[in-house]
Amino acid sequence: MLRLDSGVQYIKGVGPRRGELLNSRGIRTVQDLLLHIPKSYQDRANFVPMNALHVGQDAAVRARIYRSRAIQTRTRGRIQDAILTDGTSFIHAKWFHGGYLQKKAFLPGQEIVLFGRVEFDRHESTFVLFNPEFEMIEDAGEAASLDIGRYVPIYEEVAGITSRQFRRIVWAALADLAKDIEDPLPEEIRSANEFPDLATCLGRIHFPEPPDDLGRLNDRDSPYHRRFIFEEFFLLELVFALRRIEGRGVMGVRFETSDGIRDQVKKILPFHPTAAQKRVLKEIVDDLKAPYPMNRLLQGDVGSGKTIVAFEAIVLAVENGYQAVLMAPTEILAEQHYINAKRILSSLGYRMCVVRSGIKKAEKLELIRQIAAGEQQVVIGTHALIEQDMEFRKLGLVIVDEQHRFGVVQRLRLMSKGENPNTLVMTATPIPRTLAMTLYGDLDLSVIDQMPPGRTPIKTVHMMEADTERAHRMIASEVAAGRQCYVVYPLIEESEKIDLRSATEGFNKLSEVFKTGRVALLHGRLKSEEKESIMRSFAAGGIDILVSTTVIEVGVDVANATLMLIEHAERFGLAQLHQLRGRVGRGSGSSSCILMTPARLNDVARQRIRAMVSTNDGFRLAEVDLQIRGPGEMAGTRQSGMPEFRVANLMMDSKLLALAQKEAERWAVREDEREKLIRALSSRYGGAGPAGLVTVG
Ligand code: ADP
Ligand code: MG
């Protein structure tokens, strides 16, 4: 008897060699095999009368052999040519390279069933099936046939195992499967959603029976498909829900609010917050006041105003006597946050510092000492913050900006510097909700879905390199109006030198065209102080045109910059283009973005450029990106922790995902069911779970 977790090699017809092949493709257990569901189904049950066939149809026919012969050809080897009739008409069936059929008798009068695509044979003036799948009726015993006379599953070929072989292996696995396998889905969920039980679904998703509806099967809309999709999402969301519950049980840092503190928070606001900012802040404050540690993801499109929300949380932390830390992925961004923090928080008299990787040893040691002694209340920095020797005296709030640039591990490492500190991670690379739910499912989600008032949408145009002069004229007219511009060059690690050269050449050329001398070049190889002084000067309006590699991609905020020219836009990903474009359109002046590319573009690049030109909405773009790249790519391969789904598909199945999340939340709190659910989880995911998720219980 097979169990779901038996190795595939124990299935009849698999054996060690094929077993190994399947293993190498991630199909290790019977369960893995059974979740390799058909990619489509064919109706080979309803035989079409020959006089009703039409060209192009995939049809099953049942007939008698009228005459059959083998023809030896010079070019196409041996052709087996049979004339068939079902009493309504005659058709031909031809098998090229039909040598392998020699052993079959093909005698007149024999009954045969066939499946293939109907074509018209000009030589014979009849319909013909070329190389159809077929079975002699007395061979198989009609009922036992896996290939004809039923809805037949078509499988994606894996490890050289054809669809036809898969049918046999899956059939054998199902026949030998123990009858008492436990269904991981609670009965209550199944009946509420009309999901059949596990055994039925496994059987029918592979070998449907009447009255199953071929249309629904092929649209993945059958109860069996829906069940497996749901189940996959449910188990994942269950892990997240259990983790969140676990988190709630932990005693974390708890902040108090008072009228005094609320006044402090109000005092720092340089503007009226948007309704979305208010809502999100309330969600954050509720978490901060609760006894458990906050674990929240703050999503908001580029320029939606996440920073001020973070600063408000910082005020709450410091007023409660805790330290707060803010980590950013680049030095420029860390520096900018520091400048902002000084500007916005200075009236409150906080002690603040910035920690960069480049600073001198003695200076760094002194900072480390001050931080450990609790003398610094607000600490801002780059990756340097997660180094070993960095310790805090009383860390109550961890904020990670541009989270997508960091891995999960880095986030956890920073968090480990406090005792269950409150954590807020922010990301401006909008990801579709579905992806957020599977990628950051252990975090509570807040979304700023509204832009600050008074912004005019950025106008985006696509130009070919031949239009360079026109682009320069646009730059000139912005500069003449007292505005500033970015000119961005791609920087790809492998060819850093070449790209640096093109940025440098671009800089030289622009310096020639704009003789004011107010053109600067910024790139990653400059020393920190140089970068800072350039950025400071740009922010202060001392530079008109900033030529740069992508170091300015995230976070940089200069409201007077109103034009961005992106050179070689075809080399950037969609998220990156959107991030870059977000550097303009930050003030009330109208802004534009020029995407410069060569005349010839590949399909993907063209799709991206078109999407960029058509919308400014980061969430829309994220959806498009998901369509173009698929979830795995989009989440980023490194450390993303993106689970792989066998049946479910984030793009097609978002409704079931939402349902699964709701149900998982409901069931995770049911103590009576928990043990069974955890058992299901570890059976599905083995010890490790999706990216080591299953550590609960
Ligand atoms: P992001 O969400 O991309 O980090 P920022 O926090 O940098 O965005 O905010 C972008 C700009 O919008 C900043 O200059 C900020 O001062 C400004 N801003 C944020 N919120 C508001 C608001 N409610 N009203 C007016 N300006 C705002
Ligand atoms: Mg930001």
Side-chain angles (χ1 to χ4, degrees), residues 270-275 277 300-309 336-337 340 343-344 401-402 426-428 448 451-453 455 555-559 579 582-583 586:
F271 35 65
H272 288 293
T274 61
Q277 283 169 321
D301 207 344
V302 185
S304 61
K306 295 181 290 296
T307 315
I308 194 70
V309 174
Q336 181 184 291
H337 278 320
N340 275 333
R343 187 165 51 88
I344 293 176
D401 195 15
E402 308 295 346
M426 309 198 286
T427 178
I448 303 185
M451 285 291 176
R455 299 271 172 88
V556 172
D557 185 34
V558 177
Q579 278 277 344
R583 299 308 111 220
R586 299 199 147 225

Side-chain angles (χ1 to χ4, degrees), residues 237 244 248 276 279-284 287 294-300 306 403 423-449 619 657 661 665:
E237 294 301 327
R244 282 195 300 260
R248 299 273 134 95
R279 187 191 63 230
V280 160
L281 184 65
K282 180 172 182 317
E283 289 164 358
I284 291 171
D287 271 356
M294 170 167 81
N295 253 311
R296 191 166 280 279
L297 170 68
L298 174 56
Q299 262 208 74
K306 295 181 290 296
Q403 150 74 21
T423 304
L424 179 67
V425 302
M426 309 198 286
T427 178
T429 295
I431 52 177
R433 213 186 140 67
T434 49
L435 200 54
M437 279 160 70
T438 45
L439 203 52
Y440 301 117
D442 53 341
L443 303 176
D444 296 306
L445 183 63
S446 289
V447 182
I448 303 185
D449 50 5
F619 286 91
L657 175 58
Q661 192 190 38
E665 248 155 42

